[in-house]
């Protein structure tokens, strides 16, 4: 039997969502993200919040764990197993219902005009296949 590891949801524009995360205590991706956030804050990095502590951080932590061989598909250790689902799968059960005013301004990262690089889209497509 495969242990239930972390479940992450992928945003339409190619990163992990941090709206809903399921992970058992001690999961390697969450620990890595926490360490990366602490290091960035202590260094006083001037990154956008999205990259320093948000979806960008979570996506980078997952990629780093995968590159370091810390994640295995079907791993019996729940702290090293990951499932990535589409945001559409999440929305079958959960719907955001509080339109926060600060997220409606042009200052919010979600309203960025910066396109997602084709290489990033291709990497996510391969990961999600």
């Amino acid at each position: 039997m495969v242990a239930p590891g972390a479940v992450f949801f992928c945003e339409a524009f190619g990163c992990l969502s941090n709206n809903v995360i399921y992970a058992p205590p001690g999961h390697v991706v969450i620990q890595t993200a926490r360490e990366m956030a602490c290091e960035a804050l202590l260094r006083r990095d001037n990154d956008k919040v999205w990259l320093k502590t948000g979806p960008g951080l979570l996506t980078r932590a997952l990629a780093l764990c995968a590159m370091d061989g810390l994640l295995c598909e079907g791993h019996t250790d729940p702290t090293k197993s990951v499932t990535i689902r589409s945001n559409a799968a999440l929305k079958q059960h959960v719907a955001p219902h509080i339109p926060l005013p600060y997220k409606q301004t042009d200052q919010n990262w979600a309203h960025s005009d910066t396109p997602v690089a084709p290489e990033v889209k291709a990497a996510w497509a391969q990961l999600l296949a």
Side-chain angles (χ1 to χ4, degrees):
M1 179 177 168
V2 176
V7 178
F8 297 102
F9 296 90
C10 186
E11 295 280 357
F13 49 89
C15 70
L16 295 182
S17 168
N18 66 341
N19 296 328
V20 175
I21 301 169
Y22 167 83
H27 196 277
V28 66
V29 173
I30 301 301
Q31 286 183 333
T32 300
R34 183 190 68 222
E35 291 166 8
M36 291 169 70
C38 288
E39 290 169 6
L41 291 167
L42 290 172
R43 279 192 313 262
R44 298 178 185 245
D45 286 0
N46 198 20
D47 294 328
K48 288 186 175 186
V49 172
W50 182 89
L51 189 58
K52 189 168 21 178
T53 59
L57 168 74
L58 192 58
T59 303
R60 289 186 301 127
L62 175 78
L64 184 62
C65 290
M67 288 179 358
D68 287 347
L70 300 175
L71 302 174
C72 298
E73 186 177 345
H75 203 290
T76 57
D77 180 349
T79 66
K80 294 182 179 159
S81 179
V82 170
T83 300
I84 300 174
R85 305 281 317 270
S86 71
N87 235 15
L90 174 65
K91 289 181 180 180
Q92 291 176 355
H93 305 284
V94 177
H97 63 283
I98 303 173
L100 299 172
Y102 77 91
K103 289 190 173 187
Q104 307 309 314
T105 69
D106 290 339
Q107 297 298 314
N108 187 269
W109 60 264
H111 299 288
S112 172
D113 290 334
T114 306
V116 177
E119 298 83 8
V120 173
K121 289 181 181 180
W124 272 112
Q126 185 177 21
L127 185 62
L128 294 172

